[in-house]
Amino acid sequence: MEDGALKSVLQGLGLGVAVCDPAGFEIEFENASFFGWFPPDGGATESLPARVPGFDADRARARLEKGRPYVFETEAGTGARVVSLEVEVRAATLDGRDLLVVECRNVTKRREAEYMLDSYSKMVERNTRELQREKDRVERLLLNLMPRAVYEEMTEYGSTTPTRFDAATILMLDFVGFTSMAVSRDPSALIAELNDIFTAFDRIVELFGCERIKTVGDAYMAVAGLPDPSPDHAHSIARVALRMRRYLERRNDSHPEQWLGRIGINSGPVIGSLVGVQKYVYDIFGPGVNLASRMETLAEPMQILLSADTYELIRDEFSCTDQGEVEVKGFGMQRVFSLEGESSSRG
């Protein structure tokens, strides 16, 4: 390296440059940047493996023998002045002599940018997961308030349209003596029991493809035939009612406290709609709902009372008892039936 002009150019570069003997990687020349990043430790050895952390001599020879450069990354400096460096070693010929040229580039800013980008990406992924969890939680809550089809309409269009359903069957249930139970018993235990019962009812309703509309105190309302029409809406609700009663009978056999439910069922047209602005509630309206409520009021404890319209829909598959005509508030004289069970002749 006798060329003074070339040395002067190399010394002025921002890159770290060194020239080595390929046999033992002995450093024959280095510019100021290379020296500043990899200063000698005072020992007699002035080779790349001794001066440059992370230099793998065997791997370097293997790459160079294949005519490829050997590239790796390392760090230089101490404390707050540590910099990230990309080191490239490649073969070169100068004045007929085989040499190795080592170039070191400061990639600290690039690494910092990559680290920031990686951190940002991880933060975005974390926030996305948290948003998805929150979205799932909100969806579960809303699906407890409204049928899925109504929820999907609301999320897609931002609102829902009140819909008339001409063929639906409504079930109304409440418990005999609940008010006195609420006064005389421990509130926490009472509500825990009511929650257990309503949870069981929800499973029964879902099992038969019906919808729980709402609970108000000890009252429970379910419907079949909406939001998806079903030709067997009355049959589905009848099976729900029978299994609700059976559940209560079995529970009462094993618990000291007796829960005696009255169930009223009616079939007819209803209107379903989402009501409320800040607190959404999906509800159903119409004379069909009112008559189901009247059937529940007239029922005896643990009795399932049907309107004549429901009876006509299920009479061939269920066993019912004619209760005669009774005065129904708002509806005049109505013939009512008691649902006893599914018909044994049902194929």
Side-chain angles (χ1 to χ4, degrees), residues 71-86:
V71 181
F72 66 100
E73 291 191 9
T74 187
E75 291 184 342
T78 58
R81 300 186 61 185
V82 172
V83 296
S84 298
L85 299 170
E86 182 181 79

Side-chain angles (χ1 to χ4, degrees), residues 200-212:
F201 287 176
D202 285 345
R203 289 195 292 266
I204 295 170
V205 166
E206 184 178 0
L207 179 64
F208 289 96
C210 304
E211 291 283 348
R212 189 274 298 270

Side-chain angles (χ1 to χ4, degrees), residues 16-302:
V17 178
V19 177
C20 305
D21 172 64
F25 300 111
E26 297 294 323
I27 299 173
E28 298 185 3
F29 168 80
E30 59 188 303
N31 69 357
S33 295
F34 188 93
F35 185 90
W37 286 331
F38 308 112
D41 59 4
T45 303
E46 290 294 329
S47 66
L48 286 178
R51 295 270 298 275
V52 181
F55 185 89
D56 187 329
D58 293 335
R59 189 174 180 186
R61 287 192 180 93
R63 297 284 295 179
L64 293 167
E65 286 174 0
K66 294 179 180 179
R68 299 176 182 176
Y70 170 50
V71 181
F72 66 100
E73 291 191 9
T74 187
E75 291 184 342
T78 58
R81 300 186 61 185
V82 172
V83 296
S84 298
L85 299 170
E86 182 181 79
V87 181
E88 180 178 341
V89 182
R90 66 178 185 275
T93 302
L94 184 63
D95 297 333
R97 182 185 173 196
D98 292 334
L99 296 169
L100 297 178
V101 176
V102 183
E103 294 183 5
C104 304
R105 298 176 181 84
N106 187 342
V107 294
T108 301
K109 292 189 178 298
R110 188 175 75 190
R111 290 292 170 264
E112 289 175 350
E114 291 174 351
Y115 174 78
M116 292 178 62
L117 181 60
D118 183 61
S119 299
Y120 178 75
S121 298
K122 290 180 179 178
M123 181 186 69
V124 170
E125 291 176 2
R126 184 173 60 253
N127 290 342
T128 300
R129 288 194 299 270
E130 292 175 354
L131 286 172
Q132 185 61 46
R133 283 196 295 269
E134 183 64 17
K135 179 175 179 270
D136 293 341
R137 187 185 71 85
V138 171
E139 180 177 301
R140 287 194 299 271
L141 291 173
L142 289 175
L143 288 175
N144 283 330
L145 301 176
M146 65 189 75
R148 177 172 288 277
V150 176
Y151 166 77
E152 291 173 351
E153 180 184 0
M154 186 184 72
T155 54
E156 183 173 358
Y157 300 106
S159 62
T160 60
T161 303
T163 305
R164 177 185 170 92
F165 300 92
D166 291 321
T169 298
I170 306 98
L171 176 149
M172 301 288 291
L173 175 147
D174 77 350
F175 292 102
V176 178
F178 181 80
T179 302
S180 60
M181 291 168 64
V183 171
S184 62
R185 294 184 53 191
D186 173 57
S188 298
L190 179 68
I191 297 305
E193 287 189 45
L194 184 62
N195 181 66
D196 289 342
I197 293 171
F198 281 175
T199 299
F201 287 176
D202 285 345
R203 289 195 292 266
I204 295 170
V205 166
E206 184 178 0
L207 179 64
F208 289 96
C210 304
E211 291 283 348
R212 189 274 298 270
I213 297 300
K214 63 182 177 181
T215 62
V216 180
D218 65 322
Y220 189 100
M221 177 194 290
V223 65
L226 67 91
D228 299 318
S230 170
D232 297 325
H233 55 90
H235 300 75
S236 298
I237 282 292
R239 294 186 178 104
V240 166
L242 290 170
R243 281 157 181 79
M244 285 179 169
R245 182 168 66 184
R246 186 184 308 166
Y247 169 82
L248 291 175
E249 289 171 345
R250 291 179 177 177
R251 180 183 178 87
N252 290 338
D253 287 342
S254 59
H255 287 71
E257 299 294 341
Q258 300 294 290
W259 291 79
L260 304 177
R262 298 180 302 198
I263 300 176
I265 298 175
N266 176 54
S267 301
V270 298
I271 295 173
S273 178
L274 194 66
V275 295
V277 177
Q278 294 180 328
K279 295 183 178 181
Y280 293 114
V281 175
Y282 185 81
D283 210 344
I284 55 177
F285 310 91
V289 179
N290 296 338
L291 185 53
S293 179
R294 297 287 187 267
M295 293 294 102
E296 176 268 312
T297 303
L298 293 170
E300 298 294 329
M302 300 300 281

Side-chain angles (χ1 to χ4, degrees), residues 320-332:
C320 303
T321 301
D322 189 342
Q323 301 292 304
E325 290 192 347
V326 297
E327 178 73 25
V328 180
K329 182 179 178 181
F331 294 90

